[in-house]
Amino acid sequence: MNPLRSVSRRLVRDVDPLRFAIGILALIIIAFFPFVNDQLSAVLGLSLSGKVIPVLVQGTVLALGLNIVVGFAGLLDLGYAAFFAIGAYSAAFFTSSQSPIPVIRDSTPIIPGVCCPLNFWVAMLLSAAVAAAFGVVLGAPTLRLRGDYLAIVTLGFGEIVPLVIRNTPEVTKGTQGMNPIGLPILPSISVGPLQLGGKFGGDWVPWYYLAVGIVILSVIIAARLRASRVGRAWMAIREDEVAAASMGVNPVTTKLFAFAMGASLSGFAGSVWASYLQVIDPEQFRFDVSIMVLSMIVLGGMGSIPGVIAGSLILGMVDRGLPDYVHVLGNNLNNDFLRTFDTSQFRLAIFGLALVVMMLVRPEGLFPSSRRKMELHAAEESITEAEQQRATLYEAQR
């Protein structure tokens, strides 16, 4: 039999038509979102251009990285924003004229187009590697900790990093912040009157497609890791570390790799975030960033990649755009109360209430993974089976 025909038949048999249709629809929306945004801005007066890039970079990519640590490996990390800061400042150190590295600060031309300062794409990869190294540094002393104790240690790490940045102005410029930071550059291509590529600037459309590309790459990495041998080892440790160790899983290297991969995606996002904003300071990496990302995972479903993406988009767009949505609704309805109502004052209350309702109604999240759903509802299924067995015995005795 032709191998290509065999593979194509297998793909057609394994693909769920509903998921395939949803995926195609999502790709169409993603591709034409700039046009849709222009129409929303013209018709409703609502523009999402200033919200979608932060949601994708500071929300979706971070949530996918934290999902590796929390969702796949079951390691509670409350200091995840620290790796985001490490990636952002690493990109600044490698590309900024305010860098503490003399060769980069003085713009010494060692390799034109690559160094120095470093090319953005090279700096982005190095920032991810630096964040991964710090992930190993954090993970090594915490290997024997679990649950609340692990959460306390990671929380302390998340608080230490912004304090170090704030109190070392000779290196990080402290609260003043570092700027400017290197911008991405793509080869210029002319297609008739259309000019593609070049140096990224104030136009949000190239940044949007770059953010989408980073999200897609992060999804591919997370999906391949989940399906790999190490992904199965993470899930085994999450369910029962003692049983996993007795079956030959090395908990030390497995946990360290989870911390490293989660931190590398955070550093990856941090480098893009720094270049997009062109200025970074310690106030951008506070504890509430870690809590927001963790809330996205809880809302979408721990361990579920589609759920994490959905949770990050829902919570991110509500967090950044709820006041604008209410004001636009008030303008369209000609309602003075909605037009002037400031929902930002109730932001944390709204999120807290949403999480409480989720924990009571659907603790596995909006779009949970099948394995996670079975774990959370195992007790309910056992009770149902016991009741069915008692009913069967009762009928037999009658």
Side-chain angles (χ1 to χ4, degrees):
M1 181 182 290
N2 188 343
L4 293 177
R5 183 178 300 176
S6 175
V7 172
S8 62
R9 287 180 178 177
R10 192 180 301 114
L11 288 174
V12 171
R13 184 180 66 247
D14 295 340
V15 170
D16 184 358
L18 179 59
R19 291 186 178 182
F20 182 76
I22 293 175
I24 294 297
L25 179 61
L27 289 177
I28 294 174
I29 294 174
I30 290 170
F32 292 97
F33 176 77
F35 173 78
V36 174
N37 179 74
D38 292 341
Q39 298 303 312
L40 287 175
S41 180
V43 176
L44 299 177
L46 177 64
S47 177
L48 302 178
S49 59
K51 304 175 182 64
V52 64
I53 298 172
V55 168
L56 291 175
V57 176
Q58 198 183 23
T60 305
V61 179
L62 285 184
L64 288 168
L66 185 58
N67 188 49
I68 294 176
V69 182
V70 177
F72 293 171
L75 305 171
L76 184 56
D77 188 352
L78 295 182
Y80 194 64
F83 303 115
F84 189 48
I86 289 170
Y89 274 89
S90 296
F93 288 172
F94 292 139
T95 63
S96 176
S97 57
Q98 295 185 339
S99 172
I101 305 173
V103 170
I104 294 176
R105 182 180 63 244
D106 300 336
S107 300
T108 305
I110 299 177
I111 306 176
V114 178
C115 180
C116 285
L118 289 181
N119 179 280
F120 169 80
W121 307 107
V122 178
M124 182 173 64
L125 297 177
L126 289 177
S127 299
V130 171
F134 274 93
V136 174
V137 170
L138 172 63
T142 62
L143 291 176
R144 296 185 179 182
L145 301 177
R146 301 178 188 175
D148 298 339
Y149 300 100
L150 178 61
I152 292 172
V153 172
T154 55
L155 171 61
F157 181 76
E159 291 296 314
I160 288 171
V161 170
L163 286 175
V164 171
I165 294 173
R166 187 179 295 110
N167 294 312
T168 53
E170 64 279 1
V171 177
T172 63
K173 303 303 178 183
T175 56
Q176 178 183 353
M178 295 187 67
N179 72 299
I181 299 167
L183 291 168
I185 300 176
L186 292 175
S188 298
I189 301 175
S190 298
V191 182
L194 186 63
Q195 184 74 21
L196 302 176
K199 191 173 184 178
F200 283 36
D203 187 6
W204 71 277
V205 177
W207 286 106
Y208 165 74
Y209 287 113
L210 174 61
V212 169
I214 292 171
V215 169
I216 293 174
L217 179 60
S218 302
V219 169
I220 293 173
I221 292 173
R224 297 305 301 165
L225 285 173
R226 183 183 59 183
S228 66
R229 181 177 180 179
V230 70
R232 294 191 294 272
W234 284 337
M235 296 175 192
I237 287 178
R238 182 190 68 197
E239 295 173 9
D240 193 329
E241 183 176 342
V242 176
S246 66
M247 296 300 294
V249 175
N250 188 335
V252 174
T253 57
T254 305
K255 287 183 178 181
L256 285 179
F257 190 64
F259 274 112
M261 288 306 304
S264 66
L265 286 183
S266 183
F268 195 49
S271 62
V272 179
W273 181 250
S275 182
Y276 172 69
L277 289 185
Q278 282 296 291
V279 60
I280 51 173
D281 61 78
E283 293 301 314
Q284 300 174 14
F285 311 103
R286 296 178 301 181
F287 173 64
D288 58 346
V289 175
S290 300
I291 296 301
M292 180 60 67
V293 177
L294 183 60
S295 300
M296 294 173 180
I297 297 176
V298 172
L299 177 66
M302 289 187 183
S304 170
I305 294 177
V308 168
I309 295 174
S312 64
L313 293 178
I314 293 172
L315 211 55
M317 294 306 291
V318 170
D319 178 40
R320 293 184 174 274
L322 185 59
D324 293 339
Y325 308 150
V326 173
H327 294 163
V328 168
L329 182 62
N331 290 331
N332 289 300
L333 297 178
N334 197 21
N335 187 300
D336 292 335
F337 175 76
L338 294 177
R339 191 180 295 153
T340 59
F341 184 65
D342 185 10
T343 56
S344 61
Q345 298 179 0
F346 306 95
R347 167 175 166 264
L348 296 180
I350 294 172
F351 293 154
L353 180 61
L355 290 177
V356 169
V357 172
M358 282 297 302
M359 289 297 96
L360 294 175
V361 177
R362 196 175 176 85
E364 67 272 18
L366 295 176
F367 305 100
S369 63
S370 56
R371 182 185 294 269
R372 186 68 175 172
K373 188 175 182 179
M374 287 189 295
E375 292 174 10
L376 290 174
H377 292 280
E380 297 176 6
E381 293 177 358
S382 62
I383 292 173
T384 303
E385 291 177 0
E387 291 177 349
Q388 291 176 353
Q389 291 176 0
R390 285 197 297 268
T392 303
L393 290 174
Y394 176 74
E395 292 293 333
Q397 291 173 359
R398 291 182 61 186

